[in-house]
Amino acid sequence: MSAPLMSYAVETTGNALTWQQAMSLTMERNPSLAAFGYQLTAQEGRLLQAGLRSNPELAVTVDDAFGSGNYKSMDSAESTLSISWLLDGKQRRERVNSAKAQSAVIEVERDIGRLDAAADTARLYITALSLQVRQQEAKQAVGFAKQAVEVIQKRVNAGNSPAAEAARARVELSRLSLEEEDIEHQLLVNYRLLAAQWGSSQPEFSRVQGNLDELPVIAGFTELQERLRQNPRLEYFGTKARVEESQLALAQAQARPQWRVSAGVKSLAATNDQALVAGISVPLGVFDRQQGRVAEARALMELNRAQRDAETFRLDAALFDVHQELLHSLHVVNTYRKDILPALEQSLAETRRAYDVGRYSYLEWQSVQRDYLAARTLLIDASVTAHLNAIEIERLTGVAIRN
């Protein structure tokens, strides 16, 4: 009943989903990522609005009309038709700069969203792969239990073992069968969650393809720290700083008086003459009505710098933690592969031979079986943990580290 160490590769038949297909579908169809396209379209509208010029104003004034005496009628009236423009070129440029900076922020947020979506898909994919391997393990465990029932029943029939041992073996078979069924349900749920990553309510695949034995090749922590600088979350703060700078420049531009110029024609009814008129309007800068916004913009710039520093330290600590966890997981995998499982395989074979000649009881044989199956499960757990840690490192650094 001993079996060689298996390779945790999933045999793919029929409609199998590959890693590359899952990632491509997520990047193309993920509902959360699609929302960024609408945000960017809306921001294009804001950018267009920010660059629009102020409309000129047409004004008509009439003086010295419909009064008394010589001004009873329009005979002595003076009428002026004029057009005026607001000189807001500086403010318009700053509004455009601010809108462009906001567009850059949305683009960085989209990059962060892509990293998160890819990581979520990767985690679900690895989970599906591990459940498929667990399903294979569960089938093998059920096979062990069925063989045990047959062997023990023969011994009971021959009078070499008590009937209670056969009953225990059948209970163990039922327990393992329930575990196999539970894994099947988990796998169906996981497939559906994976398909939801690209907006599908029904999985169009029956398996995922992969091999848990292909463990990630990890770089040193110092190299990963350098890669950490590529994280869009840190780039976000740099882009946000440009937004705050543009908001400060806009507030300062709005603090300056906006000139208005006008030109037109005056008509004098009394003499039937016309004359050109021109004017300029300059608001008096007695009160600075933008000082609050300027102070706010400067404070937000300092806040952004503080938040970037805090995020840098947080990401660095998180990266160190995950890197250590990955190293530990790889060590656990190697220990189980090289030391623990080979020893348990040998023990299982020897215990079976001892049981056949009556030296061990069924409980002793069953105990070694459980230890062996538990060790295989722990090996799967350690392999999955290694892959999940690698996925998190990729999410933190923004760089793929797995081969």
Side-chain angles (χ1 to χ4, degrees), residues 69 112 114 165 174 211 259 272 274 278 292 336 353 360 384 391:
I112 295 173
R114 284 175 173 170
E165 288 191 351
S174 297
N211 188 349
W259 292 21
N272 199 27
Q274 286 81 35
Y336 269 89
R353 286 193 293 269
Y360 281 171
V384 170
I391 290 168

Side-chain angles (χ1 to χ4, degrees), residues 306-352:
Q307 289 177 333
R308 177 185 170 84
D309 291 341
E311 184 69 1
T312 300
F313 288 122
R314 187 192 71 80
L315 291 175
D316 184 81
L319 179 62
F320 182 80
D321 180 30
V322 178
H323 184 256
Q324 291 297 309
E325 288 291 332
L326 177 53
L327 292 177
H328 176 67
S329 298
L330 294 176
H331 175 69
V332 171
V333 169
N334 289 330
T335 301
Y336 269 89
R337 284 179 179 175
K338 295 179 180 180
D339 301 327
I340 297 177
L341 274 173
L344 284 172
E345 280 193 338
Q346 183 179 358
S347 176
L348 182 60
E350 292 176 354
T351 305
R352 168 64 194 277

Side-chain angles (χ1 to χ4, degrees), residues 29-68:
R29 304 181 189 175
N30 185 271
S32 297
L33 296 182
F36 286 106
Y38 298 115
Q39 290 185 37
L40 286 170
T41 301
Q43 188 59 29
E44 289 175 2
R46 298 186 191 104
L47 179 58
L48 174 64
Q49 185 66 32
L52 294 179
R53 298 175 180 274
S54 300
N55 283 319
E57 295 181 4
L58 183 66
V60 178
T61 60
V62 178
D63 298 324
D64 300 335
F66 304 108
S68 61

Side-chain angles (χ1 to χ4, degrees), residues 250-266:
L250 177 59
Q252 290 173 334
Q254 290 174 336
R256 298 186 182 95
Q258 291 181 273
W259 292 21
R260 183 182 296 273
V261 296
S262 62
V265 178
K266 175 180 284 191

Side-chain angles (χ1 to χ4, degrees), residues 241-294:
R242 291 190 288 274
V243 172
E244 305 302 345
E245 290 169 0
S246 66
Q247 290 292 333
L248 175 60
L250 177 59
Q252 290 173 334
Q254 290 174 336
R256 298 186 182 95
Q258 291 181 273
W259 292 21
R260 183 182 296 273
V261 296
S262 62
V265 178
K266 175 180 284 191
S267 177
L268 295 86
T271 60
N272 199 27
D273 292 324
Q274 286 81 35
L276 294 176
V277 294
I280 183 169
S281 173
V282 181
L284 297 176
V286 177
F287 303 107
D288 183 358
R289 297 181 57 80
Q290 295 295 320
Q291 56 185 319
R293 292 182 180 176
V294 170

